[in-house]
Amino acid sequence: MERPAWAPPGIDISVPSVSRIYDYYLGGSHNFEVDRQTARRAMEFMPGLPKIMQANRAFMRRAVRHAVAEGVTQFLDIGSGIPTFGNVHEIAQAATPQARVVYVDHDPVAVAHSRAVLTGDEHTGIVAADLRKPREILAAPEVARLLDLGRPVALLLVAVLHFLEEADDPYAAVAELRDALAPGSLLILTHASYEGIPLPAEVAGGTVGVYRDIRNPLVMRSGEEIRGFFDGFELLEPGLVSMPDWRPDRPEGGEDAETPEDPYAFSGFGGVGRKA
């Protein structure tokens, strides 16, 4: 297997990575053949996976713009993945040049490419850390340099919590991050679920099996279980909904500018909560 020139030293290119698989779904180029093979296997069960990821990104962009409109200009994006067009710092800084963003990921490829993309951007940083260890994230020098935790922060947990099993105590991790944030902070969250998928659960479960095979279990939680991550936050309207249904962009005529025809786009949930 030929090693791409952009692959960071020490990376085993024979082992698939969820962040590189996600990059492939979005049409990115920073993925290896093993990632593409795994993605194609998952798509044999759920061919609409790229549509789900596109809906996820569109939700994230709308939520970031909403945060800026509310006066929140600090962003902590955990599980940020490989930088692609329309990332958090681009959306936020387009809305306000004062926006500060810290990305967090534990994938060395995602971290290396984030550093390359962010060279020269003094308002954006990257931290190599894991959501399972929130204290390490909060204590990171880049967080201290860029974010004032005494003021509201938008915490993004977009398409990441479903990779934490119950043994990882994901609710405790979110609660620890919440407790470190100032009142007025926002939680921007998306999560996979069997609810909304236009397939029988036993068929969609084939995709879950693919992720289990690569030792990155995909935990499909119910809407009620996902709502539990918002403990301590007030869910903003329209609540926890399918991602295209969260405040879709509307042109002047009033018609929805984002009406995905593919039913897969309505799989899973997204929501935004505000800390009182």
Side-chain angles (χ1 to χ4, degrees):
M1 186 183 302
E2 185 176 350
R3 186 179 188 85
W6 53 263
I11 297 297
D12 186 347
I13 65 173
S14 69
V15 177
S17 152
V18 293
S19 64
R20 298 193 304 267
I21 293 169
Y22 185 80
D23 177 70
Y24 174 76
Y25 289 143
L26 290 174
S29 59
H30 293 113
N31 47 76
F32 306 144
E33 180 56 31
V34 67
D35 304 309
R36 296 187 284 273
Q37 290 175 354
T38 303
R40 288 192 286 266
R41 279 179 54 213
M43 289 170 63
E44 288 176 6
F45 299 99
M46 291 178 60
L49 279 167
K51 287 294 183 182
I52 297 174
M53 307 312 166
Q54 291 164 18
N56 189 77
R57 295 284 295 185
F59 164 85
M60 179 273 289
R61 291 192 290 267
R62 296 195 305 277
V64 167
R65 289 194 293 265
H66 172 77
V68 174
E70 283 210 352
V72 179
T73 59
Q74 303 186 103
F75 298 84
L76 179 60
D77 183 1
I78 302 178
S80 51
I82 294 170
T84 54
F85 177 75
N87 233 31
V88 173
H89 72 286
E90 294 174 328
I91 302 301
Q93 290 172 4
T96 174
Q98 288 75 37
R100 293 175 177 266
V101 179
V102 175
Y103 292 118
V104 180
D105 208 286
H106 71 282
D107 184 328
V109 173
V111 173
H113 280 284
S114 295
R115 286 192 175 128
V117 167
L118 300 174
T119 298
D121 185 342
E122 292 299 318
H123 289 171
T124 310
I126 176 71
V127 173
D130 195 309
L131 174 56
R132 298 171 183 85
K133 300 178 180 178
R135 291 183 188 178
E136 292 184 8
I137 295 172
L138 295 168
E142 283 293 88
V143 171
R145 180 177 76 86
L146 287 167
L147 304 182
D148 176 3
L149 298 183
R151 296 191 300 109
V153 172
L155 169 64
L156 287 93
L157 299 175
V158 174
V160 63
L161 283 166
H162 47 234
F163 291 113
L164 269 62
E165 298 180 276
E166 296 312 308
D168 297 316
D169 207 352
Y171 294 97
V174 175
E176 187 167 349
L177 291 165
R178 176 201 66 210
D179 291 347
L181 301 179
S185 292
L186 301 176
L187 172 60
I188 298 171
L189 181 152
T190 66
H191 197 295
S193 176
Y194 284 122
E195 296 177 39
I197 295 178
L199 287 172
E202 57 270 22
V203 177
T207 290
V208 174
V210 170
Y211 280 89
R212 184 175 57 248
D213 289 346
I214 65 169
R215 299 182 181 181
N216 281 281
L218 179 61
V219 182
M220 306 289 268
R221 294 186 172 94
S222 68
E224 193 58 36
E225 289 172 322
I226 297 166
R227 194 172 284 106
F229 289 115
F230 287 93
D231 184 33
F233 293 90
E234 174 196 0
L235 266 170
L236 305 184
E237 291 295 332
L240 187 67
V241 295
S242 65
M243 293 175 289
D245 289 329
W246 196 88
R247 305 194 182 197
D249 291 332
R250 300 179 186 279
E252 292 182 5
E255 293 296 323
D256 190 345
E258 293 180 359
T259 307
E261 295 181 1
D262 194 309
Y264 278 98
F266 295 87
S267 305
F269 291 96
V272 178
R274 182 191 297 112
K275 182 178 176 179

